[in-house]
Amino acid sequence: MKRKALLAAVVGVATAAALALQAPPANAAPPGAAPQKQTTRAGDPASLAAQVADKAVSSQLDELTRGPDEAYSRVAVTPGAADMYYVSYERTYKGLPMVGGDAVVVTDAAGNVRDTVSARGPSPSDVPTRATISAGRATEIARTRLTRVDDTAAPRLVVLAWGEKPRLTWDAMVSGIAEGKPSIQHVFVDARTGEIADSYDLVREGSGNGYYYGQVTIGTSGSGSSYSMTDTSRPGIQCGGQNGSAYTGTDDAWGNGSGTNLETACVDALYSVQREWDMLRDWLGRNGINGSGRGFPARVGLADVNAYWNGSYTNFGHSQDNARQATNIDVVAHEFGHAVFQTTPGGAGSGNENGGINEGTGDIFGALTEAYANNPNDPPDYLVGEEVNLVGDGPIRNMYNPSALGDPNCYSSSIPSTEVHAAAGPLNHWFYLLAEGNNPGGGKPSSPICSGGPSSVTGVGIQNAGKIYMGALARKTSSWRYTNIRAASVAAAIELFGANSAQCNTTKAAWSAVSVAAASGEPACGTSTSDFSISLSPTSGSAAPGGQATATVGTQTTSGSAQTVSLSASGLPSGTTASFSPSSVTSGNSSTLTLSVGSSTAAGTYNITVTGTGSTTHTATYALTVSSNPPTRDFSISANPTSGTVQAGSAATTTIGTTTTAGTAQTVNLSAGGLPTGATAAFNPASVTSGASSTLTISTAPTTPAGNYTVTVTGTGVTATHTATYALTVQSTSGGRTFTNDTNYTIDDYDTIDSSITSTATGTATSPVKLSITISHTCAEDLDIWLRGPNGTWYAVDRYGGTTCTQYGTRTFSVPVSQQAAGTWILEIEDVYLGDTGYLDTWSITV
């Protein structure tokens, strides 16, 4: 008979522990006021990621297409492994939050868009926004989900995008008891009919195991005769009883080793979550439980054979015989794994299949943390709750063979209606095959392969498997299902290890081995990793019937080598045609899109999809507005000359002429798009009265790549917008602008060293300047690094601070500056704390 699967993972544990205070490392820099030097901060990769992602959203790149009444707002920028950044967005519809309309943009440290994912495409324009059911009535309906209601929150009006068609709903939150268990539910009540459209529970509970870890060291806080089970080195992590306060004591020795002692239970809980925190940092590149350097509290003493995560903290009960508390590694890590799931893009999501993925995520983090800790009292394995013997029936889940405990090994059409813990079976099975393979040997258990799968799977190791799954989680949206995880994990494997890697092929093979098929457009393994991006400038325009609108289609090589990209357009209104000049480009170059509006084209706004087809396919969206009548006032715009050639670092000029073509003259504001990297455009004057002209100066940087570029000049008038193009050719320049000082400088405690470089480059320094710094030092967090330009201005490069120490090695920075390139540049390094010394090996600057 199948054992009762209580929500999450539980483990009872008691541990004798005389615990010493784990203070921050003596050599980690303390917080404090910044040196009073100046004030221009160095380029921040996270800020660059946000800027690039915002541009992709504005251009409606690939999966980011949205309806005319929808808008995206950025929520967070989260760093990940391999210098990747994951920028998450929420969507609104006519100003209302859209639940299930979220999206993620993946960028690299160089500012390239690597991937886009969205929970859904554009919504229809007929979703009502006026409620006929009151907020109070919605709360009454939501309360029916619970058997006992302890609290409610004021509902908010949202557009619920889950399901076949978006609908207007009240999002009402109620908390209390459901079927005898704690419950905090978001209940979506149809704002027009009053029926419950959907709901999800923030409480993710479970059963697990745990016993004694013996004498362990945990992070606590305090001094003298006042101590607390609060880990100040891991903000947000603490442990205490059901009142939410951390346990305190007169010394820093905690617990008595008894399985029924709650202070002992907190020893195990803190030990376990601290190992998970360290695993996330050391193995997966994540900063804390929530990705932003913070965690959540733990409570013990729950009067239940259970443990759960409730959206704000974890809570742990006891085994059925009440001999052990449920606070060992795989249960604690499982519950905090729910917190990781909730704080990655897309949140907790809805539905049994999504809930199964959430539960499987907890099991995966339990297995990862158990492997990282490698504690002999609880050896690493892929069983959940194996040591607590919760109800006298052994483990509650088996990751290498879920069917051994009655859960499905393979994905099928019944998973969406399967209880969430059972629905975790295919994900757990996939992770074991990815990490260990189907026949790993070395005493590890064999794992079955589902019908139709590969003959065998060779594992990539649990740490690599964890990196791949963490990379997939960073792409999660609220509507995630198994097919989405497969696509996201393949993208993560390519991102981390390359398309030709064994990790990429194994990721796919493991999914096939659990019967999750590839979705259309999934990237191939073992092929070229070359890729490109596509953008439009401008992203919208207007024209009257019989008129034209133009835009520059820009492309960039984002990985590998340049490739031929063929261009096409779809979604054109009746009577309108599109042409590209040229119709295909080599990635890195641009083309001009001309939309010719037919005389019979109906008035309205149309989203036109521009598709670039190379080794992969990418899209961008252009919003064309067709006016109902020809304008009574209009103008034209032109460039003379229409082309020019410059050497990188020089400038090209052309005259932008305007003519009044209908009615009276009007003010025309000028702008330019499609500029190559490092180039800027200036108009003199910036606006003219139609009939007059302006001088356009395009200034290139010494680092501007050689190539042919189509610059689009846009004239925005009172009644219309028109464009003209200028063909710019940039030739490479000889003579370097990178200078190096490889003299070693010793860095002692509380010491400051200056290393200078004299630049002979001419003109204005290209902003941002590029720095490459190599330092041999075991505590990068002790070092405060600044750059002084030839004109005496100081720029912050790398600020000190942190609670742990890492090797410095070689690091690169982009520093915005505004001054001449020639002269002496000084790198200043100050060691602001004691305990570590080292030396500056070499540094270079590109101006």
Side-chain angles (χ1 to χ4, degrees), residues 313-649:
Y313 59 84
T314 57
N315 206 349
F316 301 94
H318 54 78
S319 59
Q320 185 165 290
D321 60 8
N322 208 15
R324 298 164 299 281
Q325 302 303 303
T327 49
N328 83 318
I329 284 177
D330 64 355
V331 172
V332 172
H334 173 108
E335 300 307 337
F336 280 98
H338 287 312
V340 174
F341 191 90
Q342 184 172 311
T343 55
T344 43
S350 172
N352 280 21
E353 186 169 344
N354 186 283
I357 295 168
N358 196 337
E359 292 299 335
T361 297
D363 291 345
I364 287 170
F365 281 105
L368 283 163
T369 305
E370 205 171 67
Y372 178 87
N374 198 23
N375 191 299
N377 291 332
D378 187 5
D381 54 39
Y382 292 86
L383 297 173
V384 181
E386 74 278 7
E387 294 184 8
V388 69
N389 195 17
L390 187 71
V391 293
D393 205 13
I396 62 170
R397 279 189 294 283
N398 179 321
M399 298 179 71
Y400 54 82
N401 185 15
S403 65
L405 296 177
D407 298 327
N409 284 346
C410 315
Y411 183 82
S412 69
S413 59
S414 65
I415 289 295
S417 59
T418 301
E419 187 275 331
V420 292
H421 295 87
L427 178 57
N428 284 342
H429 189 193
W430 166 80
F431 186 79
Y432 183 83
L433 290 170
L434 177 63
E436 307 294 346
N438 69 301
N439 191 20
K444 296 180 180 179
S446 297
S447 182
I449 290 178
C450 300
S451 175
S455 58
S456 64
V457 178
T458 301
V460 299
I462 190 170
Q463 183 176 350
N464 285 339
K467 287 180 178 179
I468 291 169
Y469 190 60
M470 190 72 246
L473 280 177
R475 290 169 159 80
K476 176 168 61 67
T477 66
S478 57
S479 59
W480 242 29
R481 300 296 183 261
Y482 268 99
T483 186
N484 306 116
I485 315 179
R486 172 169 175 145
S489 61
V490 170
I494 293 173
E495 185 177 277
L496 291 163
F497 303 105
N500 294 320
S501 64
Q503 290 85 350
C504 179
N505 286 288
T506 301
T507 300
K508 290 195 173 197
W511 279 121
S512 297
V514 299
S515 301
V516 177
S520 175
E522 179 175 286
C525 296
T527 60
S528 170
T529 59
S530 296
D531 203 358
F532 67 95
S533 64
I534 187 171
S535 62
L536 292 170
S537 179
T539 59
S540 63
S542 60
Q548 292 183 331
T550 61
T552 298
V553 184
T555 64
Q556 292 291 333
T557 301
T558 58
S559 64
S561 56
Q563 59 182 291
T564 300
V565 178
S566 299
L567 301 170
S568 61
S570 60
L572 296 163
S574 176
T576 295
T577 61
S579 62
F580 295 87
S581 180
S583 59
S584 64
V585 296
T586 300
S587 56
N589 295 316
S590 57
S591 173
T592 298
L593 164 65
T594 300
L595 298 170
S596 300
V597 180
S599 58
S600 61
T601 299
T605 298
Y606 304 90
N607 281 330
I608 297 171
T609 300
V610 177
T611 301
T613 303
S615 60
T616 57
T617 298
H618 296 287
T619 63
T621 303
Y622 183 87
L624 172 66
T625 299
V626 179
S627 57
S628 57
N629 298 300
T632 56
R633 298 173 65 200
D634 204 358
F635 67 95
S636 64
I637 186 172
S638 63
N640 184 26
T642 58
S643 62
T645 301
V646 296
Q647 192 175 55

Side-chain angles (χ1 to χ4, degrees), residues 24-115:
N27 52 353
Q36 299 300 308
K37 279 191 183 148
Q38 127 339 328
T39 56
T40 308
R41 279 198 68 91
D44 177 7
S47 297
L48 175 61
Q51 294 169 10
V52 171
D54 285 350
K55 185 176 181 180
V57 167
S58 176
S59 299
Q60 301 192 58
L61 190 68
D62 292 348
E63 299 296 321
L64 303 172
T65 304
R66 62 185 183 273
D69 296 315
E70 297 174 346
Y72 280 114
S73 59
R74 176 162 28 94
V75 176
V77 180
T78 304
D83 290 329
M84 293 295 159
Y85 290 84
Y86 303 90
V87 188
S88 56
Y89 291 85
E90 292 179 343
R91 198 179 337 188
T92 58
Y93 175 86
K94 294 182 178 179
L96 292 176
M98 179 182 288
V99 177
D102 47 300
V104 181
V105 180
V106 183
T107 75
D108 59 27
N112 298 311
V113 174
R114 301 294 292 272
D115 199 6

